[in-house]
Amino acid sequence: MAVLALLLSGGPVVPALCAAEFVAFKHTSIRTTGAPETDTRPFRVLNPTTTWRLLAINGRLEDPSVERISSATATLNGVAVLRPNQFNQNVSQLEVPITGVIQASNTLTTRVRSKPGGRLTIQILGRDDHPPLITIHQPANGV
């Protein structure tokens, strides 16, 4: 009861205790015929200082008939985040922490090297761990 009275009386600011993950970027590369192609994609984020991870999905998790890749590379802002030896037909997904590599403006460059039809989806996931601040004010003159 004392805590409720403190909150209703214009007491301290109360941080909300929740965090959520969000997708800041998502792109799927499909290996075509001919020489492997380099795919460069720019994207922006609002808070580069939060916790970030890259999720690479090989093929499609919900559809095993979609061809997986055997080799790929990815760089984020010039930093190698995925290497060819991390992939094979038995790897369904990879997760790489990328906190510290993310900037406000980013460039992801991928190169899929596998047989045609192979699919690689890359997601950049951020963690919204900065809670909102909620301030409760007492109505004027107790009204």
Side-chain angles (χ1 to χ4, degrees):
M1 196 70 157
V3 173
L4 182 57
L6 178 63
L7 293 175
L8 294 177
S9 66
V13 173
V14 180
L17 301 175
C18 64
E21 191 168 62
F22 60 94
V23 177
F25 173 84
K26 180 178 179 180
H27 177 70
T28 299
S29 296
I30 300 174
R31 175 69 168 95
T32 59
T33 58
E37 295 179 7
T38 300
D39 190 6
T40 301
R41 301 285 169 157
F43 67 97
R44 297 185 56 78
V45 301
L46 294 177
N47 182 3
T49 63
T50 195
T51 303
W52 294 95
R53 67 185 178 103
L54 179 146
L55 179 63
I57 300 169
N58 191 1
R60 281 185 45 196
L61 295 178
E62 68 279 358
D63 184 358
S65 69
V66 172
E67 191 68 38
R68 288 184 175 174
I69 62 161
S70 296
S71 178
T73 60
T75 61
L76 179 60
N77 301 326
V79 176
V81 291
L82 295 174
R83 293 178 174 79
N85 63 350
Q86 292 177 285
F87 292 95
N88 64 52
Q89 292 296 306
N90 297 317
V91 174
S92 62
Q93 65 182 25
L94 294 167
E95 189 175 317
V96 179
I98 54 172
T99 301
V101 179
I102 289 283
Q103 303 168 8
S105 292
N106 301 279
T107 302
L108 179 73
T109 303
T110 57
R111 186 175 180 99
V112 176
R113 298 181 285 196
S114 196
K115 69 181 189 179
R119 181 181 300 212
L120 176 66
T121 300
I122 294 182
Q123 295 181 1
I124 304 294
L125 304 160
R127 183 157 178 84
D128 184 4
D129 52 8
H130 293 98
L133 296 177
I134 301 170
T135 305
I136 301 173
H137 298 278
Q138 179 179 346
N141 298 325
V143 177

